[in-house]
Amino acid sequence: MNSTATGEIVQFDNVGLRYGSDREVLSDVSFTLYPGTFYFLTGASGAGKTSLLKLLYLAQRPSRGMIRMFGTDAITLPRERLPGFRRRLGVVFQDFRLVPHLSAFDNVALPLRVAGVSDRELLRPVADMLEWVGLADRMHAQPAQLSGGEQQRVAIARAVIGRPELLVADEPTGNVDPDMAIKLLRLFEALNRLGTTVVVATHDVHLLRKVPDSLIMRLDKGRLSDPTGALRYPPRPHAVARAGED
Amino acid sequence: MALQLPAGVHEAIAQSWRSVSGTGQSELIPQARLSGPMPWVIAIMVALTVIAAAAGLSFSNTARNAADELAGGVTVQIVHANPVERDRQAVAAVGRLRKIPGVVDANMVSQAEVERLIEPWLGTRAAGDEAIPVPALVDARLRDPLTPETLGALRRAVREVAPDGRVDGQSSWLKPVFSAIQSLQWLSLALVGLLAFATSAAVLLAVRSALGSNRDTIEIVHLLGGTDAQIARIFQRSVGFDAAGGAAVGLALGLVVVLFLGRQFAELGAGLVSSGGLGWADWVLLALVPVGFVLLAMLTARITVLAALKRML
């Protein structure tokens, strides 16, 4: 459903990114993401995880290199076609980026409204999603009335409500207690089993072991560590370095 | 009885309305953060435009009515010191004019009427004073508008029977007045244009300011797959509501002023001034001014937002 002829959903080839005239924050990044695969993106603070994710969710164009998404060159993609691609993505931002004057319900409903779903049709899925993340009783609260953890759960609910083909999450469990972190990971796994490709950026090494079938992408000072070339040229999906094996 | 529509039609209509108006998405941008003083600015602009447009239409009506009235009018003045000879020539001129094909009617203006006309300048006694020769006047109406050829032919015909007769087209007397009225018409049009431009500028500034203060929300909507057109519709709708409220107030204010001025001018009772009254088509045109301003404001908002969004990824 979401793969190209060769199976990849995202392909980065020698991608570099610099802001202004500063040095590159990402250099020679090459990898391939396959449909239905769970990836962790790790690295120290400042390694370039958020910058890489920005490229993935089309908030930034690279300074050089080639990016293909859903079988299309994402660098030369005209602006008018970006919304269509973005609707195939789900994004959990590190700073949540909830709309401050909207309720939790309306924040979660936003991707569906943008996609043209009527208010009547979105009522049930949004309510179910909020219940799933444990916020059914807080659906009318605005972000300022929610704790950091609750805001994060709203952000996650908003990212997954549209059943995206590619879910990109930047430190999605950073502000929640361990139990909720596990619960959210299970949600990501469930989506993954339904075919969504998941990329979770985290520096929590314990989290990596919670998803045994996941693949790990490690960034170090803007360079993707790929000693075996498995991320760039995977022998076949699900056969590269497994979490917990390294 | 409620109109029964086939299943799905309601939803289709609602969907179409949402896509045009932005309903359902508008709450993304809080209305209060967009409005500010804009409705009041639009109210003032619409009120001024209604007044300027009413003035322009009134001038136009004045000019048209006067031109229609004077287009086929000819006046013969007979200036002679001897009142008997003056009257003889006048009677002869009337008789001659009535025989000319194309002249619908020709009449002498009565002495009383002539005295009434010159009274404001020469006073009551002077008008009756034979020391000041008052010309005899003949008023003739032509079937068709006066042309230089017709005027020449009339002059020749009158001169045969009234050597002291001077024939003038009535419209030529009022040429400077028509010219002034035309200038005022252009001035009104220019004012309407300037007010529309100023309104666009006010909307542009308000929308830019709103775009700046809602930048984060717009970025999020973009990243969630929102299109430029969807975001533009949100602003368009908010601006439309603001503009509609302001325009309604402005129309009411403008009409009060126009009606008040209309009454004042009507009381003057001067023919030229009172001929500038507004017809029903003029009132309809004035009622369309706020509609035009609402559309202009929405269009400005749309263009401004789309232009600004193009600079974002």
Side-chain angles (χ1 to χ4, degrees):
Chain A
M1 61 170 192
N2 44 15
S3 59
T4 65
T6 51
E8 73 273 9
I9 198 165
V10 175
Q11 194 183 351
F12 274 46
D13 193 8
N14 286 315
V15 169
L17 174 66
R18 70 169 80 238
Y19 297 107
S21 55
D22 290 348
R23 66 176 179 80
E24 283 192 328
V25 291
L26 292 173
S27 297
D28 303 324
V29 174
S30 301
F31 63 86
T32 302
L33 303 183
Y34 281 90
T37 310
F38 199 119
Y39 297 87
F40 278 112
L41 176 63
T42 65
S45 287
K49 297 192 295 292
T50 299
S51 293
L52 179 56
L53 294 187
K54 277 185 178 176
L55 294 175
L56 271 176
Y57 59 73
L58 300 169
Q60 191 81 43
R61 302 244 197 220
S63 310
R64 63 183 173 85
M66 188 275 289
I67 298 177
R68 289 182 72 79
M69 292 189 80
F70 309 115
T72 303
D73 183 351
I75 294 173
T76 56
L77 194 68
R79 266 193 92 253
E80 312 84 75
R81 289 187 61 198
L82 280 174
F85 275 70
R86 285 172 173 154
R87 287 179 192 180
R88 300 167 76 174
L89 308 171
V91 186
V92 182
F93 302 98
Q94 192 171 20
D95 53 356
F96 320 138
R97 304 196 73 173
L98 300 177
V99 181
H101 58 271
L102 294 185
S103 66
F105 181 94
D106 286 329
N107 266 290
V108 175
L110 201 50
L112 300 182
R113 286 206 166 109
V114 161
V117 177
S118 71
D119 284 356
R120 200 176 53 197
E121 288 169 315
L122 61 78
L123 201 62
R124 176 52 50 197
V126 174
D128 286 349
M129 183 55 70
L130 280 167
E131 193 173 341
W132 207 93
V133 295
L135 292 172
D137 56 338
R138 304 285 282 145
M139 64 168 65
H140 300 300
Q142 291 191 335
Q145 299 166 307
L146 299 170
S147 68
E150 287 172 329
Q151 288 183 39
Q152 192 151 29
R153 280 183 275 159
V154 172
I156 289 167
R158 184 181 67 184
V160 303
I161 186 81
R163 293 274 303 278
E165 292 175 45
L166 172 63
L167 176 69
V168 177
D170 197 355
E171 302 283 0
T173 56
N175 285 286
V176 294
D177 60 64
D179 287 345
M180 181 51 74
I182 298 297
K183 195 176 174 189
L184 293 175
L185 268 185
R186 295 291 164 255
L187 171 64
F188 292 161
E189 279 188 290
L191 270 172
N192 181 231
R193 279 195 294 275
L194 290 170
T196 297
T197 302
V198 179
V199 179
V200 175
T202 183
H203 59 260
D204 181 357
V205 290
H206 301 296
L207 211 59
L208 311 186
R209 294 189 168 82
K210 306 289 184 192
V211 187
D213 274 345
S214 61
L215 307 180
I216 297 172
M217 304 163 72
R218 186 169 287 112
L219 269 175
D220 184 23
K221 293 179 182 166
R223 289 181 180 275
L224 191 66
S225 170
D226 186 19
T228 63
L231 285 170
R232 191 172 186 184
Y233 307 109
R236 61 182 189 278
H238 297 269
V240 289
R242 299 285 164 185
E245 289 176 4
D246 76 337
Chain B
M1 194 179 79
L3 179 66
Q4 292 297 311
L5 292 172
V9 172
H10 276 298
E11 183 55 32
I13 293 170
Q15 187 72 35
S16 306
W17 167 244
R18 276 199 296 272
S19 70
V20 171
S21 67
T23 313
Q25 297 161 350
S26 59
E27 61 268 25
L28 276 174
I29 308 291
Q31 185 77 19
R33 284 168 75 179
L34 188 59
S35 298
M38 202 177 64
W40 296 107
V41 171
I42 288 180
I44 293 166
M45 296 298 182
V46 168
L48 292 174
T49 305
V50 166
I51 295 165
L57 291 168
S58 181
F59 290 136
S60 169
N61 291 346
T62 303
R64 195 176 46 247
N65 291 339
D68 288 348
E69 203 171 302
L70 301 178
V74 171
T75 301
V76 182
Q77 285 186 74
I78 293 150
V79 185
H80 198 285
N82 184 342
V84 178
E85 174 59 14
R86 187 177 60 207
D87 290 346
R88 188 201 63 76
Q89 288 192 27
V91 171
V94 169
R96 183 73 184 88
L97 284 169
R98 282 180 178 165
K99 287 177 187 160
I100 297 173
V103 175
V104 178
D105 195 14
N107 289 299
M108 260 185 81
V109 180
S110 70
Q111 192 63 26
E113 179 72 4
V114 173
E115 284 174 9
R116 197 180 63 76
L117 285 171
I118 63 172
E119 187 186 307
W121 289 275
L122 301 177
T124 46
R125 289 187 62 188
D129 191 347
E130 286 301 327
I132 301 170
V134 177
L137 293 180
V138 174
D139 181 37
R141 312 298 310 168
L142 307 182
R143 189 167 42 236
D144 301 316
L146 185 69
T147 61
E149 293 75 29
T150 318
L151 185 62
L154 290 173
R155 279 176 177 159
R156 283 191 296 276
V158 167
R159 204 168 296 133
E160 288 170 10
V161 294
D164 297 311
R166 200 179 117 189
V167 183
D168 286 307
Q170 290 174 358
S171 57
S172 63
W173 300 350
L174 288 175
K175 246 182 194 164
V177 178
F178 286 148
S179 173
I181 289 175
Q182 203 171 33
S183 300
L184 289 171
Q185 268 179 271
W186 283 113
L187 180 66
S188 303
L189 194 66
L191 276 175
V192 170
L194 280 174
L195 289 165
F197 177 75
T199 303
S200 277
V203 171
L204 185 140
L205 291 175
V207 169
R208 275 192 185 166
S209 161
L211 274 170
S213 55
N214 291 287
R215 192 180 173 82
D216 286 347
T217 303
I218 291 164
E219 267 183 18
I220 293 165
V221 174
H222 254 159
L223 290 174
L224 294 177
T227 61
D228 290 355
Q230 281 178 313
I231 295 167
R233 266 201 299 273
I234 296 168
F235 282 85
Q236 217 174 290
R237 181 174 179 271
S238 297
V239 166
F241 272 120
D242 284 351
V249 174
L251 177 67
L253 277 173
L255 288 181
V256 166
V257 174
V258 168
L259 289 170
F260 175 74
L261 289 177
R263 181 168 289 187
Q264 296 279 308
F265 278 105
E267 281 172 7
L268 291 177
L272 193 64
V273 173
S274 58
S275 69
L278 299 177
W280 66 267
D282 300 324
W283 290 110
V284 170
L285 210 59
L286 291 182
L288 288 176
V289 166
V291 178
F293 268 70
V294 171
L295 293 176
L296 176 71
M298 289 174 78
L299 183 68
T300 305
R302 183 177 184 82
I303 292 169
T304 307
V305 172
L306 289 177
L309 293 180
K310 267 189 185 159
R311 290 192 286 272
M312 296 169 78
L313 184 61

